[in-house]
Amino acid sequence: GQQLNQSPQSMFIQEGEDVSMNCTSSSIFNTWLWYKQDPGEGPVLLIALYKAGELTSNGRLTAQFGITRKDSFLNISASIPSDVGIYFCAGLRSNTGKLIFGQGTTLQVKP
Amino acid sequence: DTEVTQTPKHLVMGMTNKKSLKCEQHMGHRAMYWYKQKAKKPPELMFVYSYEKLSINESVPSRFSPECPNSSLLNLHLHALQPEDSALYLCASSQEGQKLFFGSGTQLSVL
């Protein structure tokens, strides 16, 4: 099935550093979503993007919907230890309700 | 209220057992989903219910049987599972074609 290419696969950073991760696809999506998942828990929605070029912030998080509608990135500024987790991008096809996930970016933050 | 509630949180079952996973949402969402997730992998879609009717079955084995008793409830009946079915089972809900909200999951172990 279709997959999104998410990178990097993992990151190990110092507390206070900024983080950037991105997703690319070979096809167009109507909506891009970014989720964070802690071990043993379900994914929590961080940011939803609905329009090409849209730039949206949620606290220290900023995400953009690419102009071509085939990519998106997520930035985390001034990372803190509780940012640790797995971040998933997901493209949503509104006509089917199917959510296509990236492979995830595992973030570790050193205090 | 943006909560999707799943029970139980953990479940251990033998290969001859019959058990059920339950999911509930009170956001008025008309689409509900079951996902399966292995460790460090993205969630994989199993079933989609739209307006209480099964709309997508991603070729899931018949030992998994979904049920949608009403617009707020979603069940997943399990029978004669295999050890490789051990995983985190996630329920999600959404408005049609909109962002998905996930529950915290049921961690299933099949012995």
Side-chain angles (χ1 to χ4, degrees):
Chain A
Q2 181 179 11
Q3 290 185 342
L4 301 183
N5 297 312
Q6 184 173 349
S7 65
Q9 185 175 350
S10 63
M11 303 181 74
F12 190 89
I13 62 170
Q14 197 76 32
E15 182 177 359
E17 290 183 353
D18 297 344
V19 170
S20 185
M21 58 193 79
N22 68 82
C23 268
T24 58
S25 169
S26 57
S27 58
I28 289 171
F29 288 101
N30 309 113
T31 300
W32 281 91
L33 305 171
W34 284 92
Y35 290 90
K36 177 178 183 260
Q37 188 173 24
D38 293 328
E41 298 291 330
V44 174
L45 182 65
L46 299 174
I47 292 181
L49 301 159
Y50 301 104
K51 295 181 183 177
E54 179 181 355
L55 184 71
T56 296
S57 293
N58 178 7
R60 294 178 294 107
L61 277 59
T62 303
Q64 185 157 30
F65 193 146
I67 291 289
T68 64
R69 297 169 65 192
K70 294 182 180 180
D71 63 306
S72 178
F73 73 75
L74 175 70
N75 285 343
I76 305 173
S77 62
S79 58
I80 59 178
S82 62
D83 290 334
V84 165
I86 302 179
Y87 291 79
F88 289 103
C89 64
L92 178 63
R93 298 198 183 285
S94 301
N95 57 339
T96 61
K98 277 194 173 185
L99 201 56
I100 311 297
F101 281 91
Q103 292 301 303
T105 296
T106 300
L107 178 63
Q108 295 176 284
V109 179
K110 184 177 180 182
Chain B
D1 181 9
T2 58
E3 193 168 299
V4 176
T5 304
Q6 286 189 245
T7 56
K9 180 74 171 170
H10 301 277
L11 180 62
V12 179
M13 61 186 290
M15 290 189 283
T16 58
N17 291 160
K18 286 185 181 181
K19 296 286 184 184
S20 296
L21 308 185
K22 297 186 181 300
C23 175
E24 188 169 4
Q25 57 89 14
H26 294 289
M27 294 178 276
H29 291 169
R30 303 315 297 263
M32 296 187 76
Y33 311 77
W34 280 115
Y35 282 81
K36 174 184 176 180
Q37 187 178 27
K38 291 284 199 179
K40 300 190 186 302
K41 297 290 187 183
E44 298 174 2
L45 183 64
M46 300 174 72
F47 302 103
V48 180
Y49 272 82
S50 178
Y51 291 87
E52 300 164 46
K53 296 270 191 278
L54 183 64
S55 59
I56 296 177
N57 176 343
E58 292 285 283
S59 302
V60 179
S62 60
R63 58 185 184 268
F64 296 91
S65 175
E67 178 197 19
C68 189
N70 61 54
S71 59
S72 300
L73 296 174
L74 187 66
N75 300 322
L76 186 62
H77 303 299
L78 314 173
H79 175 51
L81 294 194
Q82 303 297 310
E84 60 264 29
D85 295 322
S86 299
L88 182 67
Y89 287 83
L90 294 163
C91 174
S93 71
S94 74
Q95 296 288 12
E96 283 276 272
Q98 299 295 315
K99 56 194 175 188
L100 274 66
F101 292 89
F102 285 86
S104 56
T106 293
Q107 188 67 54
L108 175 67
S109 295
V110 182
L111 305 179

